[in-house]
Each structure stands twice: as structure tokens, then as C-alpha cells.
Amino acid sequence: MTRRVAENLYTMHDTINGLTREAFAERLDRAQAAADGPTSLLPWWLVPFAQADHSLALPLFRSVGENAEAIVEHIMTELELARAAHQDGRADDEIAHLGAALHTIEDGYGGHVWRDQRADHGNPLAEVEAINTYDPTLLVNLPRSLDDWVLTANTHDISADHHERDDDGNVTLKNVDLAAIEAGTAVLNAYLGQRESPHMTEQLAGMVRPLYELSQDARVNWFPTPQWLTEDGQRAAGLGQQPAPTTEACEAPPEQPVTVDSACWGPLACVPEPVNDASAVLDSACWGPLACVPEPVNDVSAVLDSACWGPAACMPEPAVVEPPAPAPICPIDAPPAPF
């Protein structure tokens, strides 16, 4: 996923810190992998400070909302530390902090954070329905496998962390992975565009916070109860496998579309520069290679600015996803209201 994010960024930037695409991808990948240090194998009650690093919950002392905010704050802190390193000319430290931020974002999809069904269709703005915890000392239920106990500690199914490979050794990404790639690309692209700006923190916070928007019944999953195990297995089995709802093609845009400025994020998603300077008109019914505007825009499609959204889903085929992203689909549930 991290290498795909790096590839996406290089469709929007000729170079980053003077590095080739492969060199940047290698360093960014090493940086995000470093986040899985020794503390990642310890239960939450031994390293409570480390849970937000992996988009996991601290079940005591924090509500689900406070856990979501702690995750957002961790991502923002890493981005601010990256900018400080950039300003000091410490390029390696900058990438290290960017990798840490990206690691947290990528962990926010799949097994650590349960989201609504839109995540399984590649939508990075799927609402958070539950944040899981990590505690290998829990034996409320017998582990389904040794991997489940040691590596996931009954906090998420091991299949959420494993990926199939084809005969050529290529990883098969799930749709929920594409959502993580899109979110990571968008945030890092915005960082690169804003790291010289005094308003970077405000701009990026407005992008990161909607990634952890909570559903009405959001919760923290503390113990692996039978109900939890059942739902976990169902979610793991369905990652990237749920059939896309069918819908007719998006209707033609109106003659006078609404212009969305560069501060937007989320339900109002923006198209990056590689669209040949022609802003894309996105219909309110679809979601796919071009991120879509939700119904609250009053069915008026929007001409979207190129400065504020840089995810894979916003970029035209075939520049982004191999294998290609799914055809445009309709969200199962109503999308969150725009800011």
C-alpha cells in the first residue's frame, strides 16, 4: 500500500526532496514499517501511549470519540514533526515522520478499525463503526489460531493483514486497501503542497479528521466476545469481496456547476493536476475512479479544484490502480454530510 501511495504522489510531483520515485518509495516504505516496533507486540495496558500509532483504541479512560481524536492528533503530530524536519533540512527525518503518519492511516482500514460498508468499495470516508484493541493476554475465547493470538490478539482477523499473491508474486489488494491508499495519498499530497505554508496544520486537520468520522453507534471493542468473533469473521471474509451495487451511469452534468474551493475534503473531493488542467465534473450518484459528490449538493455536480484532493480514486485510469479500480458504484449508505 505504501509503495502505491508513493507511485501516486509521483504522478503529481516530478520529484520529492530530489529523490527518484523508487528511492522515495523505498524510504517511505521503510519508515512506515518502522512503526511496527517492539511496542506493537505489547498489550494496550503496558503501552497505552502507543495505541493511537496503529489506529487502535485505549479502552479505559477514553471514549470512542476520544480514541478517534487521539488517532487524528497522532497523525497531525507526525505531519508537524515532518515539516519541522523539512525546515531544518533533515530530509531523512522528514520521511520517517511521514512514514509514521502513513502507517497510522493505513492501519485505520481493515482490521484495526471497523468501518461502514463503503470502505469495502474503496471509499476512504466510510464512517468508523468500531475501534478495536490489542491485548494478547486476553483468553476470553480460545484463539482461532496461533497467529490470531500472537499477532492479532483477538483484535482483528489475521486475514486483514495478509494478502494473496498471484503466480507472478504480485500482491492482490482488497478494496479496503484502495481506500487506505486513497486516504494516504491525499494527506501526503496535501502535506507536500502545504509544508511551506503557515496554515498547514489547519488545512491538514480539515482533511485528516473526516477520515475518522464516527457513525452514530460507534464503539470501542474491548473483549473478544462471541458476538465480536462472529462479526469479525464476517467482516474479514467480506473484505474486498462484497458485490458492488448496480446503478445506471451518472447523468450528464448541469450547465452551471458549483465551484468547490481548495479547502475542501471529504464528501466534496478534489481532482489532482494530472487531469490535464480540466476540472472533472462529478455526479452525485457514483463513486469510483473519480470520487463523487454526495446528495447534499442538491444534485448539482461540482467542478472541483485541483489543490486539495490527491487520492488514487480521483485520478483517471490507468494512471493509478493496477489492477484497475472498480467501475463507479453507489455507496450503500448515505455519505456523511459535507462540512
Side-chain angles (χ1 to χ4, degrees):
M1 288 190 293
T2 302
R3 288 182 174 272
R4 185 66 60 79
V5 169
E7 291 172 4
N8 292 342
L9 290 174
Y10 267 73
T11 66
M12 295 174 273
H13 302 269
D14 293 333
T15 185
I16 300 172
N17 291 0
L19 298 171
T20 64
R21 179 172 61 181
E22 182 57 35
F24 177 78
E26 179 67 28
R27 295 187 188 188
L28 187 65
D29 194 27
R30 286 202 308 266
Q32 75 79 23
D36 276 332
T39 60
S40 65
L41 296 176
L42 298 176
W44 64 263
W45 45 268
L46 281 181
V47 285
F49 58 87
Q51 301 313 297
D53 303 12
H54 308 285
S55 286
L56 287 167
L58 181 61
L60 285 181
F61 317 118
R62 286 182 189 163
S63 66
V64 64
E66 290 168 336
N67 274 293
E69 185 61 27
I71 295 168
V72 170
E73 289 178 359
H74 173 72
I75 294 170
M76 291 305 305
T77 296
E78 292 296 339
L79 294 172
E80 289 161 2
L81 290 171
R83 177 169 67 169
H86 171 71
Q87 292 173 338
D88 293 341
R90 295 179 283 113
D92 288 344
D93 288 343
E94 180 185 18
I95 293 178
H97 290 298
L98 291 179
L102 183 58
H103 181 98
T104 305
I105 293 171
E106 291 175 348
D107 274 351
Y109 296 82
H112 294 209
V113 176
W114 286 354
R115 296 176 179 269
D116 70 47
Q117 287 182 315
R118 286 172 295 168
D120 290 334
H121 297 301
N123 188 333
L125 296 166
E127 289 183 342
V128 171
E129 296 183 331
I131 306 178
N132 289 313
T133 53
Y134 181 81
D135 187 354
T137 65
L138 284 180
L139 290 176
V140 177
N141 292 279
L142 291 177
R144 285 163 289 182
S145 69
L146 182 62
D147 277 348
D148 273 347
W149 183 32
V150 176
L151 297 180
T152 69
N154 279 329
T155 57
H156 60 285
D157 193 286
I158 194 65
S159 65
D161 289 335
H162 288 176
H163 292 78
E164 299 293 332
R165 290 181 179 271
D166 60 23
D167 294 339
D168 297 325
N170 299 314
V171 172
T172 301
L173 293 175
K174 308 179 183 76
N175 284 348
V176 72
D177 299 328
L178 300 181
I181 291 168
E182 181 175 339
T185 302
V187 172
L188 264 60
N189 182 53
Y191 165 84
L192 293 171
Q194 294 284 333
R195 61 183 175 179
E196 306 291 349
S197 168
H199 305 295
M200 185 198 83
T201 299
E202 294 84 354
Q203 291 288 333
L204 293 189
M207 298 182 70
V208 174
R209 188 160 282 108
L211 298 178
Y212 290 87
E213 190 76 23
L214 300 177
S215 69
Q216 185 175 359
D217 300 320
R219 65 195 184 276
V220 170
N221 286 327
W222 188 349
F223 290 100
T225 62
Q227 293 83 1
W228 184 92
L229 289 169
T230 298
E231 183 174 357
D232 179 52
Q234 292 172 343
R235 287 176 177 267
L239 289 179
Q241 299 174 15
Q242 298 183 25
T246 58
T247 182
E248 295 182 1
C250 297
E251 297 178 358
E255 295 183 0
Q256 299 295 327
V258 177
T259 300
V260 181
D261 69 25
S262 62
C264 73
W265 164 272
L268 301 182
C270 295
V271 179
E273 289 295 344
V275 190
N276 300 321
D277 295 328
S279 296
V281 177
L282 307 181
D283 186 87
S284 63
C286 66
W287 175 276
L290 293 179
C292 294
V293 180
E295 292 300 334
V297 185
N298 299 320
D299 292 328
V300 180
S301 299
V303 174
L304 304 180
D305 186 89
S306 63
C308 70
W309 175 274
C314 290
M315 297 167 58
E317 298 290 334
V320 182
V321 178
E322 295 180 31
I329 57 177
C330 293
I332 293 176
D333 302 319
F339 285 74

